[in-house]
């Protein structure tokens, strides 16, 4: 039977039915997945929104940044504006954005955030990249914009967590909304830590290059711009190679972004930078002065002194200060060359030969023996009687021969004791002389120098010791020492008021005081040289610094009267007991006191008080306080003008023909006056002197008093320091002589109070009798020439 056509589709095969079911299942899974994803996204978005809503109110108030006030250090300056010192945890010099050079801003933008002025504060692509890096546990993200860095540096920690990142982004938006781009960039460039205690690029420029930010080059800007990423790793002082590598990369980035031309990039890469070798940010050696200023400001402002950005301007003259620092150190080192060699500071075991192991051993040894100014530390590589080879921490190898070995001959001898012997591995000191290197040693002796303007008392230079880091005790202001013969002029000044004149003749003959006279031990004073020259004028006695003359003068004046008189010059009466030993300077003074006291002779008889701070300003230059320079008037007169004039004449004689004759001979000036001083057993060496515009005092001695040496005197030790300083300080200052005051006349080539010139010269009138000295009645007044002859006869023993 024939088949008939079917009127419906045939049934699906089992295979096609299974395929449809699988497709349907996939669609359902996809739908559920999309729904779940959408729900998760919405949930995540809601979660983030809730988190943001909760976090935003807890964000710190950033409105203060509109008036950015970071912690700013206390800075001390000379009168010309040279930086003397900084105090505070952070070195920072707040610089307005308009004062930051464009080259510095370009260098920072090139490496940190090239699109800073285009984006809204957040680099979204960078955030995604940072997130992927975190998933892959890579620490370096490189996604933070400058605004984000400001948010983090000012308000947040550096930990890398999701929560901190949320806060960082929120703060970034808040900053971008509140502040202008220039304000944000200004905060960044002043706030960022750049190593070496420097915060901000202005402080970094000073710390690394010793120059203001406004004068840096492209190459220097690129070097500084490399510091924010890793201040330690890219520090040009500690890691010059890595710093150089990053600097070159930044120069290339500056060129790529059109900040500099190809030619400028080539020249910048070739520029040789002068990196500061030390960590100190002090350009003038005035550490003791800076510390004095710090103490004064701290006493007034407390701890705020270190954060308010106060600028303290002093009376100090930077040129005079450097001259004082150099002169004192040279004087002390010259003394040190005459001392016996005490041996190397340390011995280290150096590996044989050369190479990295030797270099590492040298670095380790010198790390605890830093350079002391121009007295450098080195490790001996080889040593013979004729040549010593040393290595420095910077890798320099230096040969010392000839005269450079003279100071340490005892250490090169075959018979030298083990602790004295200079041999391989010895840590020693070297310094560069006028012609070549020499081996030396750090001095044990100390010194001080202070210079005042006698017309006002303003401190022009002050050095409190050989090295501040080695010994912070300020010998200029704090060391109470015996002044020795440098105190004699104040006894002579008292004598002038008792009728003495420069022409008064006094006998330079031995004196002896028994126990009954002294009330204690017998006393037999001596002249320094042990010689006695018989009768001489008071002028000659001071010029030759004759002790017997001074004692006889004080005995006539009276110790109690003299004690009261010297207080007029600023000395503490209780520190100068009213005994005859006062004539030899047995009391106690500080170098600062001596400078102020000698100023009285220099300025015509007025008492001055040393002062240091002229004004204090805030970080914007607004004056907070200011000192009006004192004027000399009768309210602060210490001695009569004619007393000061005659004393000036006597002290000029000291520098012309006496123990300080080297002063006028070297400086070729007639307006110099002063007095040497050497205490008993040569424990203290002084020179105190002045010119009408500058009074200066030098002291040298050991902290624990001991003999400086049988041949060491104030004239040999301290006077050369004073001369060296004055040679610089008086450059271009015309020679001046004081005007003759009323009541003083010149008779026979010498100066007299007018009443004594008319009636004759009063005599000292002392006669030596046995074991004591007894005053005689004053003789009748006679003409000057006759009186001199009469006294000559009187003092012939």
């Amino acid at each position: 039977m024939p088949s008939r056509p079917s009127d419906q589709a045939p049934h699906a095969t089992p295979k096609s039915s299974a395929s449809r079911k699988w497709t349907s299942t996939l669609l359902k899974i996809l739908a559920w997945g999309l729904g779940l994803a959408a729900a998760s996204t919405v949930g995540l978005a809601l979660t983030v929104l809730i988190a943001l809503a909760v976090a935003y109110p807890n964000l710190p108030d950033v409105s203060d940044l509109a008036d950015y006030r970071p912690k700013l250090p206390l800075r001390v300056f000379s009168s010309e504006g040279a930086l003397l010192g900084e105090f505070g945890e952070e070195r920072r010099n707040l610089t307005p954005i308009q004062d930051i050079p464009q080259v510095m801003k370009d260098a920072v933008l090139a490496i940190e955030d090239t699109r800073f002025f285009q984006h809204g504060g957040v680099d979204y692509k960078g955030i995604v990249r940072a997130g992927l890096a975190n998933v892959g546990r890579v620490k370096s993200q490189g996604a933070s914009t400058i605004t984000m860095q400001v948010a983090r540096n000012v308000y947040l920690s550096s930990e890398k967590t999701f929560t901190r990142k949320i806060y960082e982004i929120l703060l970034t938006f808040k900053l971008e909304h509140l502040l202008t781009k220039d304000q944000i960039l200004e905060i960044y460039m002043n706030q960022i830590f750049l190593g070496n205690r420097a915060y901000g690029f202005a402080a970094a420029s000073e710390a690394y290059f010793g120059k203001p930010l406004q004068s840096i080059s492209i190459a220097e800007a690129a070097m500084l711009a490399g510091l924010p990423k890793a201040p330690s790793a890219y520090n040009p002082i500690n890691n010059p190679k890595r710093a150089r590598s990053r600097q070159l990369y930044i120069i290339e980035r500056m060129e790529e972004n059109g900040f500099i031309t190809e030619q400028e990039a080539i020249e910048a890469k070739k520029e040789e930078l002068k990196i500061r070798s030390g960590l100190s940010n002090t350009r003038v050696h005035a550490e003791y002065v800076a510390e004095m200023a710090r103490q004064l400001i701290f006493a007034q402002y407390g701890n705020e002194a270190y954060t308010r950005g106060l600028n303290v301007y002093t009376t100090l003259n930077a040129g005079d200060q450097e001259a004082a620092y150099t002169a004192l150190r040279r004087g002390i080192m010259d003394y040190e060359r005459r001392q016996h060699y005490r041996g190397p500071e340390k011995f280290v075991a150096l590996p044989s030969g050369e190479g990295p192991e030797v270099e590492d051993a040298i670095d380790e040894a010198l790390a605890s023996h830093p350079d002391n100014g121009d007295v450098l530390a080195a490790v001996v590589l080889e040593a013979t009687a004729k040549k010593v080879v040393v290595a420095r921490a910077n890798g320099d190898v230096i040969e010392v021969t000839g005269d450079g070995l003279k100071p340490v001959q005892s250490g090169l001898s075959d018979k030298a004791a083990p602790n004295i012997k200079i041999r391989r591995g010895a840590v020693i000191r070297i310094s560069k002389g006028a012609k070549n290197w020499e081996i030396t040693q750090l001095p044990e002796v100390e010194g001080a120098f202070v210079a005042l303007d006698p017309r006002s008392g303003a401190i022009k230079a002050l050095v409190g010791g050989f090295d501040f880091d080695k010994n912070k005790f300020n010998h200029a202001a704090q060391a109470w020492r015996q002044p020795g013969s440098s105190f004699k002029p104040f006894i002579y000044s008292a004598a002038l008021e008792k009728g003495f004149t420069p022409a008064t003749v006094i006998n330079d003959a031995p004196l002896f005081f028994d126990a009954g006279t002294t009330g204690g031990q017998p006393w037999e004073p001596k002249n320094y040289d042990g010689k006695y020259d018989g009768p001489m004028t008071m002028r000659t006695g001071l010029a030759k610094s004759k002790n017997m003359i001074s004692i006889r003068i004080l005995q006539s004046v009276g110790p109690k009267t003299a004690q009261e008189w010297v207080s007029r010059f600023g000395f503490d009466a209780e520190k100068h007991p009213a005994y005859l030993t006062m004539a030899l300077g047995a009391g106690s003074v500080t170098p600062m006191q001596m400078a102020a006291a000698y100023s009285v002779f220099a300025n015509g008889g007025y008492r001055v008080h040393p002062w240091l701070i002229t004004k204090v300003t805030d970080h914007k230059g607004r004056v907070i306080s200011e000192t009006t320079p004192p004027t000399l008037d009768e309210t602060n007169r210490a001695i009569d003008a004619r007393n000061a004039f005659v004393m000036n004449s006597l002290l000029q004689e000291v520098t012309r023909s006496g123990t300080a004759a080297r002063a006028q001979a070297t400086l070729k000036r007639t307006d110099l006056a002063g007095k040497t001083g050497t205490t008993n057993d040569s424990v203290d060496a002084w020179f105190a002197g002045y010119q009408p515009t500058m009074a200066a005092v030098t002291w040298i001695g050991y902290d624990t008093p001991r003999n400086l040496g049988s041949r060491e005197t104030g004239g040999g030790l301290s006077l050369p320091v004073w001369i060296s300083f004055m040679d610089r300080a008086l450059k271009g200052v015309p020679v001046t002589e004081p005007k003759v005051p009323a009541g003083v006349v010149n008779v026979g080539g010498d100066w007299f109070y007018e009443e004594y010139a008319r009636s004759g010269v009063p005599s000292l009138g002392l006669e030596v009798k046995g074991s004591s000295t007894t005053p005689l009645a004053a003789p009748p007044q006679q003409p000057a020439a006759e009186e001199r002859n009469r006294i000559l006869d009187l003092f012939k023993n």
Side-chain angles (χ1 to χ4, degrees):
M1 155 189 244
S3 62
R4 54 180 185 172
S6 172
D7 56 359
Q8 60 186 50
H11 291 292
T13 64
K15 184 176 181 180
S16 61
S17 177
S19 178
R20 284 196 299 272
K21 289 180 179 180
W22 175 247
T23 300
S24 177
T25 302
L26 286 176
L27 290 174
K28 290 178 180 180
I29 293 173
L30 181 60
W32 276 101
L34 291 174
L36 184 60
S40 298
T41 301
V42 172
L44 180 60
L46 289 173
T47 301
V48 170
L49 288 174
I50 292 172
L52 294 178
V54 172
Y56 196 86
N58 295 322
L59 291 176
D61 182 8
V62 300
S63 60
D64 287 343
L65 285 184
D67 184 21
Y68 175 57
R69 294 183 181 181
K71 288 182 179 180
L72 298 175
L74 169 67
R75 309 184 91 198
V76 182
F77 297 91
S78 71
S79 59
E80 311 92 339
L83 182 65
L84 305 181
E86 276 187 300
F87 301 93
E89 294 180 2
E90 302 175 358
R91 291 177 177 168
R92 195 193 308 274
N93 186 6
L94 185 58
T95 307
I97 191 66
Q98 64 268 21
D99 293 337
I100 298 174
Q102 190 62 43
V103 66
M104 189 69 253
K105 290 184 279 190
D106 290 344
V108 169
L109 294 175
I111 192 63
E112 293 294 332
D113 192 351
T114 55
R115 296 182 59 253
F116 172 72
F117 285 99
Q118 284 77 46
H119 63 60
V122 177
D123 183 352
Y124 297 102
K125 293 181 180 179
I127 292 175
V128 173
R129 184 170 64 252
L132 294 174
N134 280 330
V135 171
R137 296 184 180 179
V138 177
K139 292 184 179 180
S140 179
Q141 293 85 14
S144 293
T145 65
I146 283 178
T147 311
M148 294 170 74
Q149 291 185 58
V150 169
R152 180 168 63 247
N153 290 330
V154 176
Y155 293 109
L156 303 174
S157 68
S158 59
E159 62 177 345
K160 294 174 182 177
T161 64
F162 180 76
T163 301
R164 188 200 59 80
K165 200 67 179 178
I166 290 291
Y167 274 96
E168 183 179 309
I169 294 172
L170 290 174
L171 275 172
T172 298
F173 289 142
K174 200 169 184 178
L175 289 171
E176 286 277 345
H177 176 72
L178 178 69
L179 306 176
T180 66
K181 286 288 188 179
D182 275 348
Q183 286 178 308
I184 294 171
L185 187 59
E186 177 182 292
I187 294 169
Y188 175 81
M189 300 196 76
N190 282 283
Q191 179 72 20
I192 194 75
F193 176 63
L194 300 171
N196 201 22
R197 284 182 52 220
Y199 288 77
F201 288 94
S205 180
E206 295 281 358
Y208 294 111
F209 302 124
K211 62 195 300 186
L213 184 64
Q214 287 74 13
S215 62
I216 63 170
S217 64
I218 294 173
E220 291 167 334
M223 180 69 79
L224 295 179
L227 290 166
K229 181 178 180 181
S232 178
Y234 298 113
N235 186 315
I237 295 176
N238 300 330
N239 295 295
K241 291 183 180 179
R242 294 186 68 181
R244 170 66 173 165
S245 176
R246 184 156 176 80
Q247 177 213 29
L248 294 176
Y249 173 65
I250 293 174
I251 292 173
E252 291 172 359
R253 291 280 295 165
M254 292 177 73
E255 181 187 356
E256 290 172 8
N257 286 279
F259 292 128
I260 59 174
T261 66
E262 180 181 1
Q263 184 59 37
E264 286 175 326
I266 293 173
E267 292 175 358
K269 289 179 179 179
K270 291 180 180 179
E271 183 178 338
E272 184 176 346
L273 302 187
K274 295 180 180 179
I275 306 296
R276 300 192 69 179
S277 58
L279 297 182
S280 173
N281 199 26
T282 302
R283 290 173 291 178
V284 180
H285 291 98
E287 295 87 350
Y288 291 97
V289 175
E291 173 60 16
M292 288 174 67
R294 182 200 69 79
Q295 292 179 16
L296 291 170
I297 295 300
F298 179 78
Q300 185 172 358
Y301 296 97
N303 288 325
E304 284 190 358
Y306 306 131
T307 59
R308 289 181 56 181
L310 299 179
N311 297 314
V312 182
Y313 292 88
T314 68
T315 57
L316 210 73
N317 178 279
D320 290 345
Q321 178 64 25
E322 279 300 297
Y325 172 83
T326 302
L328 182 63
R329 283 181 66 94
R330 184 186 297 123
I332 289 176
M333 290 307 298
D334 286 345
Y335 169 79
E336 193 58 45
R337 291 184 184 93
R338 300 192 290 272
Q339 308 313 301
H340 69 277
Y341 185 56
R342 295 183 293 274
E345 297 177 17
K346 184 180 180 180
F347 294 95
V348 296
L350 290 183
S352 59
E354 300 177 355
E357 292 184 354
V358 175
E359 294 175 0
D360 290 345
I362 291 172
D363 290 343
E364 184 178 350
L366 296 182
S368 56
H369 294 266
D371 293 340
N372 189 298
D374 54 358
V375 184
L376 311 178
V379 176
V380 176
L381 298 179
E382 61 176 277
T384 67
K386 295 185 177 181
K387 181 178 74 172
V388 175
V389 181
V390 301
R392 295 266 296 122
N394 61 4
D396 289 349
V397 176
I398 298 169
E399 287 189 5
V400 185
T401 59
D403 291 343
L405 301 177
K406 284 185 177 180
V408 295
Q409 281 298 312
S410 59
L412 294 172
S413 170
D414 292 336
K415 298 180 181 180
N419 63 319
I420 301 297
K421 182 73 173 176
I422 296 177
R423 58 183 184 272
R424 181 177 172 84
V427 177
I428 64 172
R429 296 283 167 169
I430 61 173
S431 65
K432 190 69 185 304
K435 297 181 180 179
N436 49 31
W437 289 95
E438 71 173 11
I439 299 178
T440 184
Q441 58 189 344
L442 283 176
E444 292 182 343
V445 75
E446 272 294 355
F449 186 93
V450 59
L452 309 179
D453 184 337
R455 299 163 296 185
S456 67
I459 298 173
K460 293 300 180 181
L462 185 146
V463 186
F466 181 77
D467 182 78
F468 183 76
D469 291 331
K470 177 172 171 274
N471 187 346
K472 292 179 172 55
F473 182 74
N474 188 339
H475 299 83
Q478 297 173 297
W480 291 93
R481 307 292 295 220
Q482 288 189 348
S485 296
S486 63
F487 196 74
K488 290 176 181 176
F490 308 105
I491 305 300
Y492 278 59
S493 173
L496 293 179
E497 300 303 308
K498 293 295 183 179
F500 284 75
T501 76
T504 300
V505 177
I506 307 162
N507 194 23
D508 176 33
L511 286 168
F512 176 79
F513 301 89
D514 59 24
T517 302
T518 65
Q521 296 295 320
W523 183 42
E524 187 176 10
K526 309 270 186 194
N527 282 332
Y528 175 78
D529 57 7
K531 298 178 181 179
Y532 304 91
D533 296 333
M536 62 180 63
T537 64
M538 193 166 83
R539 176 179 293 277
T540 302
L542 184 62
K544 291 186 175 182
S545 196
K546 290 292 188 176
N547 289 342
M548 301 304 106
I549 302 295
S550 297
I551 294 172
R552 284 189 162 95
I553 290 174
L554 178 58
Q555 190 175 36
S556 180
V557 169
K560 186 64 177 177
T561 300
Q563 182 190 44
E564 295 172 354
W565 183 261
V566 301
S567 65
R568 292 169 173 254
F569 296 85
F571 295 116
D572 301 330
E574 66 274 12
K575 291 186 179 295
H576 300 274
Y579 302 117
L580 290 180
T581 51
M582 188 196 309
L584 307 185
S588 296
V589 300
T590 68
M592 182 83 79
Q593 273 190 336
M594 291 292 279
Y598 271 78
S599 293
V600 176
F601 296 139
N603 64 31
Y606 299 98
R607 170 84 179 274
V608 296
H609 300 275
W611 60 288
L612 180 62
I613 296 176
T614 59
K615 68 177 178 179
V616 179
T617 70
D618 64 15
H619 68 280
K620 292 185 177 180
R622 294 173 298 206
V623 176
I624 297 175
S625 64
E626 193 165 9
T627 302
T628 301
T631 56
L632 302 181
D633 55 38
E634 293 307 309
T635 61
N636 48 33
R637 178 167 289 284
I639 60 176
D640 194 73
R642 63 181 187 170
N643 188 300
F645 178 84
V646 174
M647 283 306 306
N648 180 68
S649 173
L650 290 172
L651 291 169
Q652 281 185 326
E653 189 68 46
V654 177
T655 64
R656 179 166 47 243
S657 66
T659 56
R662 182 177 175 181
Q664 289 197 27
T666 302
L667 298 176
K668 310 297 183 185
R669 301 179 65 103
T670 59
D671 57 349
L672 304 175
K675 184 69 185 73
T676 54
T678 309
T679 60
N680 194 35
D681 293 329
S682 297
V683 170
D684 299 273
W686 294 82
F687 185 76
Y690 58 88
Q691 187 269 352
T693 64
M694 188 74 75
V697 172
T698 309
W699 166 84
I700 292 176
Y702 288 97
D703 276 338
T704 301
R706 71 175 200 246
N707 190 285
L708 287 164
S710 59
R711 297 183 179 180
E712 304 295 351
T713 65
L717 266 180
S718 294
L719 177 59
V721 174
W722 188 90
I723 291 174
S724 177
F725 168 80
M726 284 296 197
D727 188 41
R728 157 65 180 79
L730 298 181
K731 277 280 190 293
V733 177
V735 174
T736 58
E737 294 292 347
K739 293 181 180 180
V740 181
V744 176
V745 295
N746 191 289
V747 177
D750 219 331
W751 298 103
F752 294 79
Y753 283 9
E754 191 172 13
E755 61 267 31
Y756 300 140
R758 286 196 304 265
S759 58
V761 183
S763 71
L764 176 59
L766 291 182
E767 179 185 57
V768 178
K769 291 185 178 180
S771 62
S772 64
T773 307
T774 306
L776 294 177
Q781 301 300 325
Q782 301 176 23
E786 295 180 11
E787 174 66 8
R788 291 180 184 176
N789 293 330
R790 193 197 70 76
I791 295 180
L792 282 174
D793 292 335
L794 179 66
F795 282 91
K796 290 177 182 178
N797 297 319

